[in-house]
Amino acid sequence: VKEAAQVISQYADCIAIRAFASLTDKEKDLQEMVLTSFQKYATVPIVNMESATAHPLQALADAITLKEFATVKKPKVVLSWAPHPRALPHAVANSFVQMMQRLDVEFCITHPKGYDLNPNIVKDSKVIYDQEEALKDADFVYVKNWSSFQSYGEILSKDPAWMMTQEKLKTAKFMHCLPVRRNVVVEDAVLDGPNSLVIEQANNRTFAAQAVLKKLLEQI
């Protein structure tokens, strides 16, 4: 990385890095070795396009989506875990939690026991282990799978009862970062229904990236 970061810095005004979690070595993943090494040796700004523990561009797109579609001053936003056949990283969930802590929203996280996220990220955000209770009066429901943080990288549950359905969603707006496994994470009726924001949310990745790059390039 030491040489690569210095060489690429001569070719570009910004470097975008995507470095996924191993989900096998928690301490190594938490250290963000690839990202921090590029930050150390590069001489141009580094953009995180998803790292082992964070996905800030996605969280920014999510914030834009909430602002765009909110119909009340302080909407209730729920982050709900969903089943998935593979072990997935915590990056999207982590950054969404951190973004919600910065916004004027009523926020809670719901997931089965054993799927608590990093407590240093969750902090005092409300966690409810009963999905039905958490979803009451929700304005936005963001659905995402993540593997266990405590039993790092493990799949503790594939309970299909946690899949998002239209019956659970009611009138709330549905969000997901895509791609998504249909009828595993969310049923077709939700994904194809009028309350789904996934296409608009995906397009907001364009504007999130543009805003970040504009800000960085203006400072060069």
Side-chain angles (χ1 to χ4, degrees):
V1 171
K2 186 174 183 179
E3 292 76 32
Q6 293 176 80
V7 171
I8 297 171
S9 293
Q10 298 176 107
Y11 298 160
D13 296 308
C14 296
I15 301 174
I17 302 294
R18 194 168 173 94
F20 292 115
S22 68
L23 292 179
T24 57
D25 187 329
K26 182 192 289 189
E27 295 309 313
K28 187 174 181 180
D29 284 347
L30 290 175
Q31 289 173 14
E32 294 281 15
M33 293 295 292
V34 173
L35 190 67
T36 56
S37 294
F38 267 93
Q39 289 173 330
K40 181 178 180 180
Y41 295 113
T43 56
V44 297
I46 300 298
V47 178
N48 181 352
M49 293 205 305
E50 185 175 356
S51 65
T53 66
H55 200 343
L57 286 180
Q58 180 63 54
L60 184 55
D62 299 337
I64 294 169
T65 306
L66 289 171
K67 180 71 173 177
E68 189 175 5
F69 289 95
T71 57
V72 295
K73 184 176 180 181
K74 188 173 182 176
K76 179 177 178 180
V77 181
V78 180
L79 172 62
S80 178
W81 180 92
H84 198 282
R86 295 176 54 208
L88 297 184
H90 307 96
V92 170
N94 285 345
S95 288
F96 186 73
V97 170
Q98 290 175 317
M99 181 61 76
M100 293 306 100
Q101 292 166 346
R102 299 169 65 93
L103 301 182
D104 186 21
V105 298
E106 179 186 347
F107 177 61
C108 73
I109 308 166
T110 184
H111 54 72
K113 290 186 178 181
Y115 278 97
D116 295 271
L117 293 163
N118 186 339
N120 293 328
I121 289 174
V122 174
K123 297 179 179 177
D124 59 353
S125 295
K126 184 184 293 186
V127 177
I128 301 174
Y129 298 110
D130 184 325
Q131 188 186 42
E132 183 178 353
E133 179 185 347
L135 292 174
K136 287 179 181 176
D137 302 319
D139 296 295
F140 294 90
V141 178
Y142 196 120
V143 176
K144 186 72 179 76
N145 173 270
W146 58 86
S147 54
S148 176
F149 180 76
Q150 289 75 19
S151 301
Y152 194 65
E154 292 186 16
I155 300 175
L156 305 180
S157 172
K158 295 181 182 179
D159 185 357
W162 278 80
M163 180 181 73
M164 187 53 54
T165 65
Q166 187 59 53
E167 183 180 358
K168 294 178 187 177
L169 190 69
K170 296 183 171 61
T171 60
K173 299 294 186 183
F174 174 79
M175 298 176 66
H176 188 282
C177 60
L178 298 183
V180 63
R181 290 190 182 234
R182 286 174 173 265
N183 302 307
V184 175
V185 172
V186 54
E187 69 175 3
D188 287 341
V190 172
L191 201 56
D192 298 329
N195 289 347
S196 176
L197 300 179
V198 296
I199 303 303
E200 294 86 350
Q201 183 183 356
N203 192 35
N204 282 334
R205 286 291 303 276
T206 305
F207 309 123
Q210 287 175 333
V212 169
L213 289 173
K214 182 175 184 292
K215 184 81 169 179
L216 290 174
L217 293 171
E218 286 174 344
Q219 296 173 358
I220 294 176

